[in-house]
Amino acid sequence: MSRIPTRPPGRPLAVLAVAAGLLALLAAPPDDPEPRTTPAAAVAENTATVFYWTKTKNWAAYNLHYAPDGGSWTTVPGVGMEPACTDWVKKTVTLGTAAGLQATFNNGSGTWDNNGGRNYALGTGNITVKDGVVAHSDPCADTPPTPAGTATVYYSTEALGWTTANLHYQPAGGAWTAVPGVGMQAACAGWWKREVDLGTATSLKAAFNNGNGTWDNNGGSDYTIGTGVSTVRNRVVTANATDPCAATPPDTQAPTAPARVTAAADGVSVLLTWEPATDDRGVTKYQVTRTGGSAGTVVTDVGSTVYSDTGLAERTAYTYTVKAVDAAGNVSAASAAASATTGDKPATPATGKPLGTDPRKDPIYFVLTARFNDGDPTNNRGGSQHTKSGNAANDDPMFRGDFKGLIQKLDYVKGLGFSAIWVTPVVLNRSDYDYHGYHGWDFYKVDPRLESAGASYQDLIDAAHAKGMKIYQDVVYNHSSRWGAKGLFVPTVYGVRDSQWSWYYDEKQPGFEYDGLTIDAKTGKSYYNGDLWSTAEPAGNTCVNWGKPTGGKSAEGYTVYNCQWPSPTSGMFPKELYHQCWIGNWEGEDSRSCWLHEDLADFNTENPTVQNYLIGAYDKYIDMGVDGFRVDTAVHIPRTTWNRRFLPAIQERVTRSHGAEAAQNFFVFGEVAAFVNDKWNRGSVNHSAQFYTWKERKEYDADDTKAALEMYDYEQQQGTGNQPTSTNAFLAGNSYHTPDHSRFSGMNVIDMRMHMNFGDAQNAFSNGKDSDDSYNDATYNVVYVDSHDYGPNKSSERYAGGTDAWAENMSLMWTFRGIPTLYYGSEIEFQKGQKIDCGPTCPLATTGRAYYGDHVAGSVTASDFSQVSSASGAVATTLQQPLVQHVQRLNLIRRAIPALQMGQYSTEGISGGMAFKRRYTSGSTDSFALVTVSGGATFTGVPNGTYTDAVTGDVKTVTNGALTVAAPGKGNLRVYVLNGPGRIGTAGPYLK
């Protein structure tokens, strides 16, 4: 997850108490007034029937919370309302002698309609409440009642390909129809219909078939269908449904013209952005028309509101207009024109190309770029917390490592045997302590504190590729910094900068734009805060109670004012672009739609403008040739949004820029943080890692916000026992089978369950096996012991289980399914037992994020993966450490045996603790291996033949389908390969 620092200096506990109070208010029902003391007027009726319009709410339940005039309020959430007619629910309440009632409505889960805080004042008789408008009528008076005992059943064969459909049914208390049942009539494309007279019955059991022996009986449970109109689609019954074949009027209305088109040139590329157009049924694409240059007029279809036009002529003026197109082909008027003039073509290629090979072949080395190795001291920055954190005393600025330093040590990483490097986010960050990269501010710009002349991000990507190594970029879609996101929304002002606070907050400098690097000559500080702080409330401020003291004091005794720190409830961030709540339940729906922390302003990722901003930003890095994305805080965005928007956009861009094969192997792995030992995170499928590896299994509302809620509710109701399963990670006996990725979402995940259990390798192995049938394909799981966030069992320290335990963990990770990943320095047990992160309250040198460059100082040259041809200085000493030699040889062995990289596995017929067999078959490759980690094992029912241990070179001939291996010892390993290559590498401290 994103790094959450301690609160900024001067943030008082009183402010936190105020925030807690706001949360308590949010949880309370809206605006319950005190009971009136004025006597009620005489009334002619003693009941009120309240009708409530549901079409624009789409809640799962509706409650009426009310108080008769002069009486008391009902207990929260009130009384349930029942269906009335299409799009209406109702409730009749007894008022006694009251002349009316005060009312609010809610969904029973914390979402309220209280008339904008005023409550609804209702009378007696029939009353309607429709989108805030109160009227007196019965909206269902003209609705013909559904005949008792009649069921109209619509069945969808869209996903089945049937050419006919039969309904086989049993009225409640009655007998089944004769097989195959009664024929259904074609209703419209993909739908069949049958009306059934049930007599006195109120429901029926049903199954469907195609008349040729193919059945849909709801997985053996049959369907239960009530009276009225019901639809059955993809095994989901919708009661009281609208007619799916109702005629839709033709769409003749064109979208509005796109507004605020801007064009910005960068070399021989132009970045075009615009605001989304509106349409009564939705915009499907945009047409970008370019004029200028030798090509004349060029029209390009674009799926988002961001377009990067590349490969243009140098020093040439181009003009752009944009039109919006809807699904019916209606085209809007052209936008206002935007122009840009290109500059000079870069001396080096503007884009790289991903290596495009199977990611399972590539073990990953994870670095915090700013803490790994310093190649250019001129871009080092300590920020506003440099002294207070204790970093100044150590001459250890938070931004210390950089791309130049990483480029200089690529041979160190390659010499360890790693062929992929995961780097922390590269976008320009903004906060008081932002070296880690998770406080993004300008998502379209690489942070200059990481770049140097001749060592740009592009240079790093190209240099890694030249050595056969991939770059996986850490990306954040969930949130921006508390300073907003440049190009999307930046707050006008945060809070008061008075004489007390001027020591901490830089003074605003006209014309200056924050870049994280430039130093203010006046104060000698970097610009982290200044241009958003003010001595007077600016025009356009939206923050509630700006400039008013909170009543609290800082640690220094200074007055604390409202709006000095951001809050989702303050009005500082617009609801269209940012969510407006704090997370209350980490396994609840609000964890996907509320703020994690005040430093992490939570994007409204269901908004198209936000989606397009992020898609456009990350398109840039795809074009640069990165090989994959590690997705931060993936669980805090609904799966529907990933599956509908972000994941397809990644695939589309990689395909367009680099080809279909590169897209197939572009590796996306998400952080779905679940810090428990459960297979399903506290029983919540929506918050479990494996859940994100699957496509949706039904259609939801076209609106992304509504779809997210529908999906959450539907999957929670399905529960852990009705989730999809897969055999993609498992052998069928001894045979490899082609995996089925047809339901793969496009996102793989970090194996949180193994990570949490790596305090003991056997635990990690057992827990991993238990979960593997619930991932789409667990052979793609990213597996690590500890990281920049946590150690095993949610420990806040770097792993300190001992060298033998580390060796055993590594032996398991490098041979079991999944992709082994090592956090920088773990090869020498760097900072073992140290607190991983304490924010600016302690020096970085004392934490698990300490600077590593001293251990790799000197020169190193790798002739191949795991092969160091020369080394001198401190790095030569580092390379002699026992775990370094261990991981070098593990990488040699894994790289030589395809079964250990991409193979499926099984523990059938095997005795022993951590023992398994793996196989991978493709074309002329057939790799079969028997593995035991630390303990002895017996393998039965395996193919006969000659097996050679890759560790010792020992040869065993199997003639009776059985092979027995003695215990190699903790941290050691045996890998017997059928028709194997022999011993791989030389004996070391553990593999011997």
Side-chain angles (χ1 to χ4, degrees), residues 741-755:
H741 293 151
S742 62
R743 302 302 300 163
F744 175 50
S745 66
M747 181 186 290
N748 296 288
V749 290
I750 295 168
D751 197 318
M752 298 302 294
R753 194 174 181 195
M754 287 193 71
H755 163 50

Side-chain angles (χ1 to χ4, degrees), residues 282-596:
V283 173
T284 57
K285 65 179 180 180
Y286 294 90
Q287 291 179 351
V288 176
T289 300
R290 182 190 75 206
T291 57
S294 60
T297 300
V298 177
V299 179
T300 304
D301 287 343
V302 180
S304 66
T305 59
V306 179
Y307 174 57
S308 180
D309 198 11
T310 59
L312 301 173
E314 295 180 293
R315 298 180 295 282
T316 302
Y318 292 93
T319 299
Y320 298 85
T321 59
V322 184
K323 297 178 180 179
V325 185
D326 64 18
N330 299 308
V331 182
S332 76
S335 69
S339 300
T341 300
T342 57
D344 294 329
K345 186 176 181 179
T348 56
T351 61
K353 188 174 180 62
L355 296 182
T357 54
D358 192 314
R360 295 173 296 179
K361 294 181 178 180
D362 302 298
I364 302 169
Y365 192 73
F366 171 34
V367 301
L368 269 73
T369 310
R371 306 301 301 158
F372 184 64
N373 186 51
D374 188 8
D376 178 10
T378 67
N379 60 13
N380 293 356
R381 292 294 181 271
S384 62
Q385 304 301 294
H386 188 49
T387 300
K388 187 176 180 67
S389 65
N391 290 338
N394 295 318
D395 192 21
D396 184 27
M398 60 169 183
F399 265 95
R400 188 171 178 184
D402 45 39
F403 295 144
K404 186 172 184 179
L406 183 51
I407 290 170
Q408 290 171 348
K409 301 305 173 185
L410 286 176
D411 271 22
Y412 170 74
V413 180
K414 185 171 184 175
L416 295 177
F418 293 93
S419 49
I421 300 176
W422 158 12
V423 295
T424 39
V426 305
V427 304
L428 176 58
N429 264 232
R430 185 170 193 168
S431 77
D432 298 317
Y433 217 53
D434 54 358
Y435 66 95
H436 43 63
Y438 297 96
H439 294 172
W441 185 68
D442 188 345
F443 287 70
Y444 285 78
K445 183 177 182 178
V446 175
D447 201 309
R449 292 168 289 186
L450 298 174
E451 294 195 301
S452 311
S456 66
Y457 187 38
Q458 187 68 65
D459 292 326
L460 169 64
I461 295 167
D462 294 344
H465 287 174
K467 294 181 180 294
M469 303 166 71
K470 295 179 177 179
I471 295 293
Y472 294 148
Q473 178 178 330
D474 210 323
V475 294
V476 184
Y477 287 77
N478 179 64
H479 56 265
S480 71
S481 74
R482 61 185 168 106
W483 306 99
K486 182 186 176 187
L488 180 70
F489 174 78
V490 175
T492 304
V493 69
Y494 271 13
V496 172
R497 180 185 182 272
D498 61 10
S499 59
Q500 294 178 330
W501 289 105
S502 60
W503 67 275
Y504 183 58
Y505 298 106
D506 300 335
E507 183 179 359
K508 184 175 182 179
Q509 302 293 331
F512 176 81
E513 183 173 334
Y514 167 82
D515 64 5
L517 190 64
T518 303
I519 299 292
D520 177 12
K522 181 177 179 180
T523 64
K525 295 190 292 184
S526 298
Y527 282 91
Y528 284 84
N529 308 293
D531 58 339
L532 294 180
W533 290 76
S534 175
T535 55
E537 182 174 4
N541 170 57
T542 59
C543 191
V544 178
N545 295 323
W546 186 92
K548 293 183 179 180
T550 65
K553 298 288 184 179
S554 73
E556 298 82 5
Y558 299 156
T559 298
V560 177
Y561 300 92
N562 282 305
C563 306
Q564 280 185 305
W565 277 269
S567 162
T569 60
S570 69
M572 189 182 303
F573 289 83
K575 65 181 180 180
E576 294 80 10
L577 305 178
Y578 285 85
H579 290 132
Q580 305 288 296
C581 51
W582 293 109
I583 290 178
N585 177 7
W586 289 87
E587 275 76 43
E589 194 284 324
D590 59 339
S591 73
R592 307 172 316 147
S593 57
C594 298
W595 287 35
L596 294 164

Side-chain angles (χ1 to χ4, degrees), residues 779-798:
T779 66
Y780 288 86
N781 284 14
V782 169
V783 182
Y784 57 60
V785 173
D786 62 0
S787 72
H788 57 334
D789 283 329
Y790 293 106
N793 300 313
K794 206 179 180 181
S795 165
S796 59
E797 291 81 35
R798 288 196 75 158

